[in-house]
Each structure stands twice: as structure tokens, then as C-alpha cells.
Amino acid sequence: MAEGKKIVALVVAAGSGTRAGGGGVPKQYRRLGGKAVLAHAVDHLRRAGASDIRVVIGPGQEALYAEAVGDRPLPPPVLGGSERRISVLNGLEAIAEDGGADIVLIHDAARPFVSLDLWERVVAAVEDRELAVPALDSIDTTARGRDTLGPAVDRSDLLRVQTPQGFRFDLIHAAHRAWAGGEATDDAQIARAAGHKVAVVRGDPRLEKLTYEEDFARAEALLAARMVSRTGLGFDVHAFADGEALWLGGVLIPHERGLKGHSDADVGLHAVTDALLGALGAGDIGTHFPPSDPQWRGAPSSRFVEHARALVEARGGRIDHVDLTLICESPKIGPHRDAIRARIAALLQVPEARISIKATTTERLGFTGRGEGIAAQAVATVRLEEDEA
Ligand code: MG
């Protein structure tokens, strides 16, 4: 479909709406399952097939935007205006400056869950009829009134119009430039005012706009139902050496000998890092931090753990649990258990209740029994969005 055509998704994220609560943070930057609503919208559009995505943000929202999208590869955001239609026009002008497009799909960030099916329906309809919107039938009895119920309205031809709305780029660009009305709640109205006929395709209940607090609760539930669990295992060994500091689980432990290794040789944090990478299916610690790379010489292993945590977050995941076992005759882990637990919880940005620290010996058998080194194993349980798993 749409072979060779340039299709741009224009995501409007410029609103300042805080009706849904969120402590004054506009709803498109609020977090849903650990990821900003805007990031969900961008990721869903990308998975649905959007290769070019432009985002319009409100003045002063640069920092919120940067935090929301992280290192996703996106062109710089377009600055919007005080009204939605001005934001869209600015976005269309930016696309035009970048060489224009064949088709533009204009989408509200507050409807994050765009499916592949929906995207294809809209694009196919635009190829056929130049302008198309997704919409749902009005199912509930619809009536006039405010405090007192008025007469019911015939709902047989009423539609609840959604986004993304698809247009031939030049048509909607010209329509926006020619618009002389006031604020418009969507772009199809602006297209209609310019004399265009807009096709209707079947919408998607999952595209309901996030407006009120209960909408966020519903979206969280929708997301939670789509999360799958992944478990990863990590194992590591380092040998004792004289003249080294002993780092275990991110804590400096007074001991006559420390562990030898390329980094700070924190065997506990290495096992935790590998467990998290394992849950993501993202290789191992050596893939991400090659021992041949001099920049990791003596590096604090907290950086490895933080990197793994960031990878989980980037995939919209949640760390449910980490269980770490340290295997050695000495030092005794018990006196340091709470500090290690607190440190790992802080590095992973989770409550301590999700971290378990255990210790055992090997009954004086083997290399740990002879005091030649320390072994560690860890299990991490991570929940990921189905599409990211
Ligand atoms: Mg290691």
C-alpha cells in the first residue's frame, strides 16, 4: 500500500490540558505504564507504519517533550500556538518546508493506541478518496439538556470522530491556510469548510481520547492487559586480588581483599545487569560494555545497571522483581544486606520491596569455598508491552 508515497504523521502534542489531573503536567506528557502518553503515541504510529513523524509541542514544553521522547529518532519538534488549529498549521508549514508530503495523517497525542489496522484503513481511504477520518457510531442515547434532560437526538447518523485523520497533504495544507473561522476541534472540519468531501472509515474504541482521570485508569488497565512477563538470569564470577576495593551490589565493603576485573568488578551488579538484559533478550553485559573498550576500565558498575534500567524503560517495561544471590565464604553479607538492597532499588528506581538480596556459601567447596573469589546469580522479572516483548 502507498508504495513510494511520502506519508507523514503529524502528532499534535501542544495542549496544556490538565483536566485529567496529573499535578499540572499536560496529559500528553503524563506517564502511562511508566512511559509518557506522547511516547506511546509515537511508538504506536511507528509500529503501525509511520516512517516520518513530526510532533508539535506547546511553547515552554521543550523539557517535557525531551523527557517524554528520550532518544527516539525524531526531527526537532515544531512549536505550536495557543489554539489547536494554529499548532496544526505550524506543523503543516514545517512539513512543507521539509519538501512536503503526499499524505499527512494528523493525530492527537492524547489518543496513543493507534493500531496497524486503523492506520491502513485511513491510508487506503485517503488513496481512494483523498480525505478520510476514523469514526465510531454513537451507541448511547444522545439527548439535549444540561441540568434537566431534554429531547433525545436521533443518533442513527451521529458519529464520534477520532484521529488520525488522513488527507492529501496539499489539500489540507491549503484548507488550513484558507481557514477564516475560529477554533476548530479537528481538521476534517477545516477540510469541509474548504469544500472537500471527507470519507469515513471505521474507528477504534482503543482510540478514545484521554481526557479525564478515569480515562487514564482505563488506559492503564488496557496497557496492563497487554503486558507480558519476561524472566532473565544473570551469573558472574570475579576473583579476589590484593590491593583492590571490594564493591558488592553497589556498596563499598571493608574487606582485606577486593575483586579483580576490568571495571570495578562488582560481581553482584554484573549479575543483575545480565539478568535484566536477559529479560529483554538484549544480549549480555559484554555486548553493551566490551571489556576491550578502555572507557570501561575501573568504571563503576552502577552505570551498567542504570543502562539496563534505561533499556527497560525505553521499551515501556516495568521491573517487577530482582532476586540476587551472592555466593562466598567471606565477607559476611548479612551486615550489608540492607545497604545493598537500598542501593540496587535506587539504581533501578523501584521500591525496595521489589529487590531481594540473598547470600550463601558453598560449604568450603570449590573456588568460592576456598576463598578464591565471589560468584553471584540474579533473576530479574520484567513486564513488557506485548509488541515490545
Ligand atoms: Mg563481571
Side-chain angles (χ1 to χ4, degrees):
M1 177 174 45
E3 292 304 320
K5 288 209 170 124
K6 185 173 177 192
I7 305 177
V8 178
L10 180 62
V11 182
V12 187
S16 53
T18 54
R19 268 183 293 182
V25 176
K27 60 189 176 186
Q28 65 272 30
Y29 300 113
R30 270 187 71 178
R31 285 186 179 258
L32 207 54
K35 187 161 102 178
V37 169
L38 172 60
H40 282 287
V42 166
D43 290 349
H44 274 80
L45 285 166
R46 187 89 71 197
R47 287 199 291 264
S51 50
D52 283 287
I53 299 177
R54 295 299 302 251
V55 181
V56 188
I57 65 170
Q61 294 178 347
E62 289 85 351
L64 285 169
Y65 169 82
E67 204 192 324
V69 302
D71 56 6
R72 287 171 180 79
L74 290 167
V78 179
L79 268 197
S82 54
E83 292 175 15
R84 186 185 181 283
R85 67 181 173 87
I86 297 170
S87 296
V88 173
L89 179 58
N90 290 358
L92 294 171
E93 297 293 1
I95 294 169
E97 279 169 30
D98 285 349
D102 296 301
I103 293 172
V104 61
L105 269 71
I106 304 176
H107 185 55
D108 291 325
R111 304 179 193 267
F113 306 123
V114 182
S115 70
L116 172 62
D117 286 356
L118 188 283
W119 172 270
E120 290 188 339
R121 277 203 294 282
V122 175
V123 171
V126 174
E127 296 204 292
D128 197 31
R129 297 178 56 185
E130 301 190 321
L131 310 94
V133 297
L136 293 174
D137 292 340
S138 193
I139 321 161
D140 300 317
T141 296
T142 304
R144 301 200 176 280
R146 184 51 52 189
D147 295 326
T148 307
L149 185 69
V153 179
D154 177 10
R155 64 170 195 253
S156 58
D157 62 350
L158 288 184
L159 293 171
R160 293 183 291 138
V161 182
Q162 302 180 316
T163 75
Q165 301 186 347
F167 309 96
R168 227 179 75 190
F169 178 78
D170 55 339
L171 296 184
I172 194 66
H173 189 204
H176 260 277
R177 281 185 164 178
W179 173 256
E183 173 58 338
T185 53
D186 76 349
D187 305 290
Q189 296 304 318
I190 289 173
R192 286 189 71 255
H196 297 295
K197 282 197 164 61
V198 180
V200 175
V201 300
R202 183 164 42 85
D204 186 336
R206 287 169 299 179
L207 274 177
E208 298 283 8
K209 198 171 192 170
L210 299 173
T211 305
Y212 300 105
E213 193 62 42
E214 56 267 31
D215 300 334
F216 274 80
R218 178 175 48 77
E220 287 277 6
L222 195 70
L223 210 54
R226 295 178 60 249
M227 299 289 262
V228 292
S229 238
R230 288 285 185 266
T231 302
L233 181 71
F235 177 76
D236 197 29
V237 170
H238 281 268
F240 278 122
D242 294 326
E244 300 277 353
L246 178 60
W247 287 93
L248 270 185
V251 174
L252 183 59
I253 291 178
H255 196 56
E256 63 266 25
R257 286 183 302 169
L259 294 173
K260 186 169 63 177
H262 191 69
S263 63
D264 66 6
D266 189 327
V267 68
L269 292 191
H270 292 185
V272 168
T273 303
D274 258 355
L276 289 167
L277 294 175
L280 295 176
D284 58 31
I285 194 167
T287 327
H288 292 262
F289 305 98
S292 54
D293 188 336
Q295 68 168 312
W296 309 121
R297 187 183 302 281
S301 299
S302 53
R303 291 182 55 183
F304 308 156
V305 179
E306 285 169 325
H307 174 74
R309 185 205 65 78
L311 290 179
V312 175
E313 182 179 296
R315 288 178 42 185
R318 169 196 146 109
I319 298 168
D320 275 338
H321 195 248
V322 170
D323 183 20
L324 170 66
T325 304
L326 296 165
I327 306 163
C328 55
E329 300 292 332
S330 72
K332 293 287 171 230
I333 302 301
H336 308 289
R337 186 194 305 264
D338 290 348
I340 292 172
R341 188 184 199 197
R343 177 68 179 142
I344 293 178
L347 288 172
L348 296 180
Q349 299 179 17
V350 299
E352 285 181 34
R354 293 195 219 164
I355 306 295
S356 155
I357 308 298
K358 310 201 301 298
T360 190
T361 70
T362 48
E363 299 288 338
R364 301 198 175 275
L365 297 171
F367 69 87
T368 53
R370 294 189 296 271
E372 294 168 9
I374 301 181
Q377 54 187 23
V379 173
T381 310
V382 167
R383 257 183 294 166
L384 294 172
E385 282 181 61
E386 216 166 20
D387 304 330
E388 296 282 352

